[in-house]
Amino acid sequence: SKEFGTSVSFIGFVIAHSGRQSVDILDKVKKSQMSCFMTKNVCPSRNISRQVANPLRTTSFSVRPPFTIANDTTTQDLLFRVAEKPLISISDIRDPVTGDMQILDQSLLDVTGDRQQLLKAAMKQIFSAGGKRIRPMLVFLTGRATCYPHPISDSHKKLAEITEMIHTASLVHDDVLDDCDLRRGKETVNCTYGNRLAVLSGDFLFAQSSWYLAQLGELEVIKLISKVIADFADGEISQATALFNVDYSLDDYLDKSFY
């Protein structure tokens, strides 16, 4: 559908380009002299609070007193200012799609089906290690925003699963390349089962996500996310060739990571 095409194209762009785009967006925000922020709490100094008709849920928000951003303020300074006083938490953002995320977590645990028990155990270890699940959360939020008042489709749910599988596959391979024993405070798959099974587990996730992707039947989405998978490998090779290179610039790093 048009709505599905809109949301998957947007979320694909966000996933592929979030790093550098966020810097560009912050620069634009700085230039536009951001005057207020909306939060869930009533601002004591202004006591401004009202109800908003939200397509996902009705909530209250408040407007903080305006502050100006000087022309010589750097993006880094702005990031520090925002970080000092968080406006909203990840759980707040996740709240409208909590039910979707719970179903996703179970689907990820069942991704191997009735395949070999060792692979199933590895998948359980991978997906039970926690994590914020930012990528599928963005898929669900974007899907609900673009489909309202209709519910999201099975294709949206599958796309959310695909994005997390691809991301997790890259982490599993990273742990092998970096010889990591821990991730999120728990043993990595390569530490528990060895590099061979870890590499095969990552390969399985990439292959399974590609199969799911093909089932969506959305050519533009297939092309975009396939390019993201290819960029993973390209980035790792670029990183490997730059080991111990003290002259590696920030531009090189961004180019390796996001393009």
Side-chain angles (χ1 to χ4, degrees):
S1 68
K2 182 178 180 182
E3 290 82 2
F4 177 68
T6 300
S7 58
V8 293
S9 296
F10 172 78
I11 199 62
F13 179 82
V14 170
I15 292 169
H17 303 286
S18 58
R20 185 167 290 178
Q21 282 298 118
S22 62
V23 175
D24 294 340
I25 290 170
L26 279 170
D27 285 336
K28 291 176 182 177
V29 167
K30 180 180 66 177
K31 293 175 183 176
S32 66
Q33 295 293 299
M34 181 169 50
S35 61
C36 66
F37 284 109
M38 296 194 302
T39 68
K40 289 184 64 178
N41 302 315
V42 175
C43 176
S45 62
R46 294 288 293 278
N47 195 28
I48 300 174
S49 181
R50 62 189 176 90
Q51 293 293 316
V52 185
N54 189 310
L56 301 177
R57 66 189 178 102
T58 301
T59 186
S60 61
F61 74 89
S62 305
V63 180
R64 288 187 180 178
F67 68 86
T68 58
I69 302 172
N71 289 332
D72 59 349
T73 301
T74 65
T75 299
Q76 186 177 24
D77 290 336
L78 181 58
L79 283 170
F80 280 131
R81 289 180 65 180
V82 173
E84 286 173 359
K85 296 181 179 180
L87 303 177
I88 192 168
S89 68
I90 291 296
S91 60
D92 290 326
I93 300 172
R94 178 190 173 110
D95 189 50
V97 293
T98 297
D100 297 323
M101 297 295 288
Q102 291 172 345
I103 294 173
L104 169 82
D105 289 341
Q106 187 58 51
S107 295
L108 291 173
L109 291 174
D110 297 337
V111 72
T112 58
D114 295 325
R115 290 181 172 85
Q116 295 205 20
Q117 291 304 306
L118 191 57
L119 177 60
K120 193 168 186 176
M123 292 297 107
K124 182 177 181 180
Q125 178 168 332
I126 292 168
F127 289 119
S128 297
K132 296 181 289 296
R133 305 275 200 262
I134 294 292
R135 290 156 187 81
M137 181 175 65
L138 287 173
V139 173
F140 287 134
L141 288 170
T142 306
R144 288 194 173 278
T146 56
C147 289
Y148 180 80
H150 306 291
I152 59 174
S153 67
D154 290 340
S155 295
H156 287 99
K157 297 173 184 177
K158 188 57 68 175
L159 180 63
E161 196 173 330
I162 290 168
T163 58
E164 187 63 18
M165 288 170 66
I166 292 173
H167 171 61
T168 303
S170 72
L171 297 183
V172 174
H173 283 174
D174 275 349
D175 290 340
V176 173
L177 292 172
D178 299 336
D179 197 23
C180 291
D181 294 332
L182 295 174
R183 179 174 290 278
R184 298 165 181 156
K186 298 183 179 180
E187 278 194 358
T188 57
V189 174
N190 53 295
C191 180
T192 303
Y193 298 103
N195 286 343
R196 182 188 295 271
L197 184 62
V199 170
L200 291 174
S201 296
D203 290 346
F204 168 77
L205 288 174
F206 275 127
Q208 189 71 8
S209 62
S210 297
W211 167 248
Y212 286 163
L213 190 59
Q215 302 308 302
L216 293 179
E218 294 281 345
L219 181 58
E220 288 304 312
V221 181
I222 294 172
K223 289 164 61 178
L224 179 61
I225 298 186
S226 296
K227 180 65 166 59
V228 170
I229 295 175
D231 286 344
F232 274 135
D234 184 74
E236 286 296 340
I237 294 171
S238 297
Q239 182 171 278
T241 59
L243 287 176
F244 308 112
N245 181 2
V246 296
D247 297 320
Y248 205 65
S249 69
L250 178 59
D251 283 341
D252 291 333
Y253 177 83
L254 291 174
D255 185 65
K256 180 271 298 181
S257 298
F258 303 114
Y259 289 89

